[in-house]
Amino acid sequence: RAKAERRGSHRFFDHEMHEEVVSRRALENDLRDALARGEFVLHYQPRFEAATLTLRGVETLLRWQHPVRGLVGPEGIIEVAEDTGLIYELGAWVLRNACLFAAQWPGLTISVNVSTLQLLRGDLPELVQAALRDAGIAPARLELELTESVMFEDRERSREILNELKSLGIRLAVDDFGTGFSSLGYLMYYPFDCLKIDRSFISNLEPEGGARAIVQAMMALGRALNLAVVAEGVETEGQLRLVQTIGCDEVQGFYLSRPLTAGALAEFIRAYDSQPRRA
Ligand code: C2E
Ligand code: MG
Ligand code: MG
Ligand code: MG
């Protein structure tokens, strides 16, 4: 019986895999068309200085404005784009538009998520330089967010490219810090400026307990290595208080603002400036 069940589920699995391959191919084509048709948009999530809740910058987050399905988030898109190589074109588009957006908001920094594949291709420094030049923004206003997976790949090469990027004068951040199972040694090896603590730690923050101990340890590590520390995924006032107490430099999360369209961000900034800070 167990054997029959296994066989049964195996057949079912094959069928699912086939469906997945077909729908993946369809999605790949859809993404190509979407890029050509201009259906991708950027949303912007505000990032604040933790102590004062002054608005410091925004993180750009990719969305697909699908004619039928509505607004589609990045998770599935990025993965397929990486598998098919579309990530290079898409990534360049994001970078370019993020910099153009930053040109409209001189007081803000702009963070852009970059996949490890984009980094390893090697032309990222040139793309960044061109995007900065064409938008006319200072390099120090741009931050690239990379995940810890950069160091599972070719260490020498990724370090070389990151150093090249760094020498342009931009900032480099480790995104989703603490989730990558990486050795901490890489923090000395790579020219990062900033750690973004993964939101899984922040969402479990309580006055007592393991999450707090971990966030405090990350904070101490950041301080010791002279890295700015950002808490992402702050959803409650309690979490905000705790990351302020722990001493994180910047905060980001639904409690302060969700990712916004360009128009909604302008509205947010107007309303936010005319209100007393929440701290
Ligand atoms: P990420 O870079 O870690 O971005 C933060 C994600 O957490 C965003 O999801 C954001 O909407 C969400 N978030 C922010 N605050 C909160 C909160 O308080 N609570 C909760 N539950 N979530 C919060 P999103 O937009 O779905 O993006 C998911 C991931 O997709 C990003 O994670 C990033 O890794 C990737 N991504 C997004 N845009 C791009 C892009 O242009 N290029 C690349 N390569 N990856 C991107
Ligand atoms: Mg990010
Ligand atoms: Mg993150
Ligand atoms: Mg992430």
Side-chain angles (χ1 to χ4, degrees), residues 226-251:
N226 205 17
L227 302 168
V229 178
V230 179
E232 64 177 8
V234 171
E235 289 184 352
T236 67
E237 186 177 0
Q239 290 162 7
L240 175 61
R241 291 260 163 77
L242 279 170
V243 301
Q244 286 172 326
T245 305
I246 291 167
C248 292
D249 299 289
E250 290 186 33
V251 285

Side-chain angles (χ1 to χ4, degrees), residues 59-61 111-114 145-147 174-176 196 232 252:
E59 175 176 2
T60 58
L61 295 160
S111 304
V112 175
N113 293 287
V114 171
E145 299 188 4
L146 294 131
T147 60
V174 184
D175 203 355
D176 305 341
K196 295 191 79 175
E232 64 177 8
Q252 197 180 334

